[in-house]
Amino acid sequence: MSNSNIQIATIGGGCFWCVEAVFNQIKGIQKIVSGYSGGTAPGKPTYREVCSGLTGHAEVIQLTFDSSIISYKDVLLIFMTSHDPTTLNRQGGDVGTQYRSVIYYHDAIQENIAKEVSKEVAPYYEDPIVTEISPLSIFYEAEDYHQDYYSNNTTQSYCSAVITPKLAKLRKMHASKLK
């Protein structure tokens, strides 16, 4: 990419539909791709395989953002406050290693910022932060029907019950960062 302000972040905090919906609201986010990372099974996994919990992959999003509009630190602060980073392998009713809280860093700078943000938000939670902070290995794009899921399915029951309230909370906490 020619613009030096363009960066990539890879994060997972439960169902990728939720995380994608949150970041679709944020200024400076240019592109979001739902996918899978962090697994050990060979080859590109399918949604069904990831949901089985047997591949070791997490549901993640990979977002491209303009750091002159939103910093990587701010991306992570929004991420860490828009899901529960204290629950191991679970977000609400979504249970399993595929729903773990994770930050996959792309370089040493991102690694340091991720560790800093994790420490910074820790006092705001009663329980310890369990968000995994690991180097990105391979990112696999999820199937087409997972892309921009909330925007295409706002009336679906999961979206109405889980994502819509999450977005209302986002509007209260991060209003200045919204599109």
Side-chain angles (χ1 to χ4, degrees), residues 107-172:
D107 57 34
I109 294 168
Q110 285 191 352
E111 177 185 18
N112 291 333
I113 293 169
K115 290 176 179 177
E116 172 190 324
V117 167
S118 184
K119 287 179 188 169
E120 190 175 315
V121 300
Y124 296 98
Y125 293 97
E126 280 186 34
D127 296 318
I129 302 287
V130 296
T131 301
E132 173 188 335
I133 299 173
S134 297
L136 178 69
S137 56
I138 300 172
F139 172 81
Y140 296 102
E141 187 171 330
E143 296 82 353
D144 287 345
Y145 70 93
H146 291 296
Q147 308 305 325
D148 208 21
Y149 190 85
Y150 178 75
S151 294
N152 294 322
N153 299 279
T154 54
T155 59
Q156 192 255 10
S157 60
Y158 181 90
C159 293
S160 299
V162 177
I163 300 174
T164 300
K166 187 179 283 265
L167 295 179
K169 178 182 173 188
L170 175 73
R171 286 194 255 321
K172 290 180 183 175

Side-chain angles (χ1 to χ4, degrees), residues 23 34 36 51 65 70-71 77 80 95 99 112 132 146 148 151 161 166:
F23 282 95
S34 291
Y36 317 110
C51 285
F65 64 99
I70 185 165
S71 68
L77 285 169
M80 295 293 279
V95 180
Y99 300 117
N112 291 333
E132 173 188 335
H146 291 296
D148 208 21
S151 294
K166 187 179 283 265

Side-chain angles (χ1 to χ4, degrees), residues 10-13 76 79-81 83-89 91 100-104 114-115 117-118 121 125 128-134:
T10 306
I11 52 180
L76 294 185
F79 168 67
M80 295 293 279
T81 56
H83 80 292
D84 184 351
T86 69
T87 55
L88 186 62
N89 301 328
Q91 286 298 307
R100 65 189 177 269
S101 175
V102 61
I103 300 167
Y104 289 116
K115 290 176 179 177
V117 167
S118 184
V121 300
Y125 293 97
I129 302 287
V130 296
T131 301
E132 173 188 335
I133 299 173
S134 297

Side-chain angles (χ1 to χ4, degrees), residues 26-38:
I26 305 299
K27 292 179 204 170
I29 303 300
Q30 296 184 337
K31 179 181 176 185
I32 302 172
V33 179
S34 291
Y36 317 110
S37 195

